[in-house]
Amino acid sequence: MTLLRFSRHRPKNDAPAVDAARLLDVNGPEAIEVHARALAIGEHLATTLVVSGYPAEVAPGWLAPLLNFPGHLDIALHIEPVPNPVAAAGLKKQRARLESGRRTGFDKGHLDDPEVEAAAADAADLAYRIARGEGKLFHVALYLTVHAPDEESLAEQAAAVRATAESLLMTVAPTTYRALPGWLATLPLGIDTLKTRRTFDTAALAACFPFTSPDLPITADENGTACGVLYGLNTVSAAPVMWDRFAQDNYNSITLARSGAGKSYLTKLELLRLLFTGVTASVIDPEDEYVRLADTVGGNVVALGADGVRLNPFDLPAATDGGEDVLTRRVLFLHTFLAVLLGSNLTAAEKAVLDQAILTTYARAGITTDPRTWRRTPPTLGDLAAVVADDGGETAADLTDRLVPFTTGSHARLFNGASTVSTTGHLVVFALRQLPDEVKAPAMLLALDTIWRQVTDRAHHGRHLVVVDEAWLLMRDGAGARFLFRLAKAARKHWTGLAMVTQDADDVLASPLGRAIVSNAATQILLRQAPQAIDVISENFHLCHGEREFLLSATRGEALLLTGDRRHKVALISVAAPGEHEVITTDPGELITRHPEDEEPDTDDPYADALVGDDVGGGA
C-alpha cells in the first residue's frame, strides 16, 4: 500500500513538471491510499476496470446499459485519430500477415480458419474504404471507475459493472498494481495514463455517439434553437427535463395520479411557463385551483355558479363561415348537453322530441339556416322547455318535468338565460367550485364547448392549450367522454392541445373511449399511483417492473414522463422557482402561514375557497 498526500498550497518551485500531485493540487482529496486494485479517496473507495475486448458488431447507442448503470460509475473514452498514411501502412502489414498465415495453412493441407478468413475480409474492406476517403482509423481506450463507500459495496458494484460489460460481449480486466493511473485516466483531465487501446474505424466509433442516456432528446425549432419548457429535473442524471408538447405528433397529454401526488401542481407549472412562450390557454377548473394563477397573470376567471355568471348553451359562434352546418352542429351539441344535464342516455323517442323542439325554439327566435339570422339573440333553456311543453305528448311531458329544476327550479340561474360574462383572453379559467356536484359535468361540457367555439374561430391564431382538471367528472358520463374524444381527435388541426388531468384511472382506462383518448396523447405523465390502480396502469401503459415500483414509491412531485410512441421515457421531479411556487401552490397550511390574516375567508367573496385544492405543491 502506498500513501500519497497532496498539499493544497502551491509549491514554491515553479518548475513546469506535471505529476499526479500537481494535477490534484486544486480540487484533489487530502490523501489517497493506493492498494493493489483499489484506491481510498477521502471517505470512499474506487477501482478501475479496463475494457480490453470489444464485440465484433455493435449497434448505435450500444453503450447505453453502461451509461444508465444505477450506481456511481465514471466512464472515460479516450480517442486519438490515426493519420491516414500510418493507418494505410498498418493495414497493409496486417493484410500481408493474414494472407501469409492463410497460404501457410494451405501448403500444410489445413482447413480454412473462419476467424482468419473474416479478419482478412474485414481488413481488405477497411483498407479500400480508407483509400477512398470513406473512413478513418482511431485509437480508442475505454475505462470504467466504480465508486463505493466500503469494500463490500465496492466488490458488489464492480461485479455488477463487469456483468453488464460482459453482457455486451466486452472483455474487462482490473488495473492490478495500476489503480492510481486507472483512476487518473477517468478524471476529466483528458490524459490517458494506461494506454490500453484498440483500433476503431469511423463507423464503429460513431456507434458510440451520441450517447443514449436517461435524458429526453432536446427538441429544436427550424432555426436550431432549443424549444420547450422546463418540466423538472431528471431523477437519474439531475439534468433539466425540457419538453415541448407542440413539437410532438399531437399536442395532447394525459396526467394520472392519486390524490395529493402533485398532478395539478405540475400542470400549473407547465401552464405558467407556456404562457411566457406566447401560448394561450383555457382551463376547466372544478376546484378553483387555477384562480390565483389567473389573477397573477391577468387572466379571465369565469366563476360559474356565482351570482350573475351564466353561459347560454344556445349561443351560436360569433364568427361563422358558411352553410347550415353551424346551426346543425349546434343542435347536435345541444343533444349531447341535454343528455349530460338530464343525467341519462336519451331514448330514441326523447331524442326525436328534443330535436324537433330545438329547431322550433331557434325558429321562434328568428334563427334559421340563413346565415344572416345567426347574429340574432339566441333562445334560452326556458324557451326550449316551453316548446317541449306545447308538444302535449307523454314523452314531452316527462322531458318537461325533468327540465323543471334547470328552468324554474333550484338550478335555473345556472343555465337558463343569456350569457353574462366574457370568455376571451390569453388565459381563461372556468372556475366550477361553487357549482353543486350534480351539475358540474354539464357545466364542464358547456365550458368546453365555449372553448371549442373560440378555438375553431377563424380569428384564432397561435398555439392554444385546453386543460381539463379532474376529467373523471366528464369521463364517467358517456356523452361527456364522447365530446372529449372528439376534442382530442380534432384539436391538432387547430394548433390546440388537450391536457387531461385526473386521479381516477378506472374512469379513463376502463372504457374504450378513455383508452382511445390516452392513445391520442403524445405526452403521458404518471405520478404516484395507489396499489389498487397500479395493475391497470401497468397494463395500459406497458410499464416494466422498475417503472411500476417507481410509481408506487414516488414522492410528491416525482413523475414518469412517457411519449406516445414509447421511444422515450424519463423519471423527473417537478421543480418550481420561489416566485412560481408562491403562485401555483394550493397547500392550505402553507397559505395560512403566508397570510395569517386570511384565516377566516370572506363568505361574500366568490373566490374565497380557491385557496384550498386537492393537489398540493410538487416541489419548490
Side-chain angles (χ1 to χ4, degrees), residues 72-338:
H72 186 175
L73 175 65
D74 294 336
I75 303 177
L77 186 66
H78 295 269
I79 304 170
E80 180 182 346
V82 179
N84 277 352
V86 177
L91 283 172
K92 184 176 181 180
K93 292 181 180 178
Q94 181 68 8
R95 293 182 63 195
R97 189 179 301 112
L98 292 171
E99 184 64 25
S100 174
R102 293 173 59 192
R103 292 184 179 182
T104 301
F106 286 142
D107 292 342
K108 295 181 179 181
H110 295 166
L111 294 176
D112 294 345
D113 187 341
E115 293 185 359
V116 174
E117 294 291 334
D122 291 342
D125 179 67
L126 182 58
Y128 283 114
R129 284 193 285 116
I130 291 178
R132 291 192 299 264
E134 296 177 358
K136 296 187 62 176
L137 292 185
F138 301 86
H139 288 153
V140 178
L142 182 60
Y143 309 124
L144 316 171
T145 296
V146 187
H147 300 263
D150 52 60
E151 292 184 7
E152 183 178 355
S153 300
L154 183 65
E156 294 178 356
Q157 293 291 313
V161 172
R162 180 190 289 268
T164 303
E166 291 176 350
S167 69
L168 300 175
L169 303 181
M170 291 192 293
T171 303
V172 296
T175 53
T176 306
Y177 299 115
R178 302 186 68 187
L180 180 60
W183 177 59
L184 293 175
T186 57
L187 291 179
L189 303 174
I191 300 175
D192 185 2
T193 53
L194 293 177
K195 305 290 185 181
T196 306
R197 301 173 175 178
R198 289 291 297 272
T199 302
F200 276 43
D201 67 329
T202 305
L205 183 59
C208 303
F209 296 94
F211 286 140
T212 59
S213 73
D215 297 319
L216 289 174
I218 298 178
T219 56
D221 57 19
E222 57 185 9
N223 297 323
T225 304
C227 55
V229 297
L230 176 66
Y231 271 52
L233 298 180
N234 192 312
T235 57
V236 177
S237 64
V241 177
M242 305 290 293
W243 186 249
D244 184 7
R245 67 165 63 234
F246 292 98
Q248 311 311 313
D249 294 337
N250 61 69
Y251 318 135
N252 303 332
S253 69
I254 177 72
T255 303
L256 292 175
R258 63 185 295 178
S259 177
K263 60 183 182 298
S264 293
Y265 188 95
L266 180 57
T267 303
K268 286 181 285 186
L269 192 60
E270 181 196 10
L271 174 61
L272 179 60
R273 291 167 176 170
L274 281 174
L275 291 174
F276 284 105
T277 66
V279 175
T280 58
S282 304
V283 181
I284 308 297
D285 183 12
E287 297 296 334
D288 289 12
E289 295 186 73
Y290 297 77
V291 171
R292 294 176 59 248
L293 171 60
D295 290 339
T296 302
V297 301
N300 183 15
V301 177
V302 180
L304 294 178
D307 291 338
V309 177
R310 181 173 53 250
L311 294 176
N312 184 8
F314 286 81
D315 284 344
L316 291 172
T320 57
D321 54 0
E324 53 185 317
D325 183 65
V326 170
L327 183 59
T328 302
R329 287 183 179 275
R330 199 65 198 157
V331 172
L332 292 175
F333 166 75
L334 285 170
H335 277 284
T336 303
F337 172 75
L338 290 171

Side-chain angles (χ1 to χ4, degrees), residues 264-585:
S264 293
Y265 188 95
L266 180 57
T267 303
K268 286 181 285 186
L269 192 60
E270 181 196 10
L271 174 61
L272 179 60
R273 291 167 176 170
L274 281 174
L275 291 174
F276 284 105
T277 66
V279 175
T280 58
S282 304
V283 181
I284 308 297
D285 183 12
E287 297 296 334
D288 289 12
E289 295 186 73
Y290 297 77
V291 171
R292 294 176 59 248
L293 171 60
D295 290 339
T296 302
V297 301
N300 183 15
V301 177
V302 180
L304 294 178
D307 291 338
V309 177
R310 181 173 53 250
L311 294 176
N312 184 8
F314 286 81
D315 284 344
L316 291 172
T320 57
D321 54 0
E324 53 185 317
D325 183 65
V326 170
L327 183 59
T328 302
R329 287 183 179 275
R330 199 65 198 157
V331 172
L332 292 175
F333 166 75
L334 285 170
H335 277 284
T336 303
F337 172 75
L338 290 171
V340 177
L341 185 68
L342 298 178
S344 63
N345 292 326
L346 300 177
T347 64
E350 290 171 337
K351 289 181 179 179
V353 171
L354 283 176
D355 186 70
Q356 186 60 41
I358 293 170
L359 292 174
T360 303
T361 302
Y362 273 115
R364 288 185 179 182
I367 300 175
T368 64
T369 55
D370 186 352
R372 294 174 296 178
T373 66
W374 293 343
R375 294 188 178 275
R376 294 176 179 174
T377 303
T380 63
L381 194 61
D383 298 329
L384 174 66
V387 172
V388 174
D390 292 342
D391 183 276
E394 182 179 347
T395 301
D398 180 65
L399 287 173
T400 302
D401 293 339
R402 293 166 66 182
L403 285 172
V404 166
F406 309 105
T407 55
T408 60
S410 57
H411 301 315
R413 64 187 180 91
L414 301 178
F415 306 109
N416 187 22
S419 299
T420 59
V421 292
S422 172
T423 57
T424 59
H426 66 281
L427 173 62
V428 181
V429 174
F430 293 86
L432 312 180
R433 185 181 179 87
Q434 298 183 67
L435 288 172
D437 291 339
E438 295 77 9
V439 295
K440 275 192 176 180
M444 291 176 69
L445 185 60
L446 186 57
L448 275 174
D449 172 72
T450 302
I451 295 170
W452 184 245
R453 284 190 283 118
Q454 293 178 352
V455 167
T456 55
D457 190 344
R458 289 178 299 171
H460 169 75
H461 299 287
R463 298 176 298 172
H464 192 84
L465 180 65
V466 180
V467 178
V468 182
D469 209 338
E470 302 300 343
W472 61 270
L473 291 171
L474 269 179
M475 291 302 302
R476 65 185 179 183
D477 183 272
R482 286 191 293 271
F483 189 90
L484 277 180
F485 175 70
R486 290 196 299 268
L487 180 59
K489 293 282 284 186
R492 181 182 177 276
K493 300 177 182 178
H494 303 279
W495 212 358
T496 298
L498 172 64
M500 286 181 51
V501 185
T502 184
Q503 59 179 294
D504 200 331
D506 287 338
D507 283 330
V508 176
L509 300 176
S511 67
L513 280 176
R515 292 191 294 271
I517 292 175
V518 171
S519 65
N520 278 279
T523 302
Q524 301 167 355
I525 303 174
L526 304 177
L527 291 92
R528 179 164 183 161
Q529 301 294 325
Q532 296 81 0
I534 192 63
D535 290 335
V536 177
I537 296 292
S538 299
E539 179 181 356
N540 285 274
F541 290 90
H542 308 289
L543 303 181
C544 65
H545 177 74
E547 294 164 346
R548 174 190 174 106
E549 294 302 317
F550 171 80
L551 294 180
L552 286 174
S553 60
T555 60
R556 180 179 299 163
E558 288 187 337
L560 187 64
L561 174 61
L562 310 172
T563 58
D565 54 11
R566 300 295 191 276
R567 288 182 301 174
H568 305 293
K569 57 183 69 176
V570 63
L572 61 93
I573 181 168
S574 57
V575 177
E580 294 173 323
H581 177 74
E582 184 176 353
V583 172
I584 64 179
T585 183

Side-chain angles (χ1 to χ4, degrees), residues 2-8 20-21 24 29-34:
T2 304
L3 178 62
L4 300 181
R5 295 191 178 276
F6 301 112
S7 171
R8 289 190 179 275
L24 301 175
E30 289 288 351
I32 295 179
E33 293 183 6
V34 182

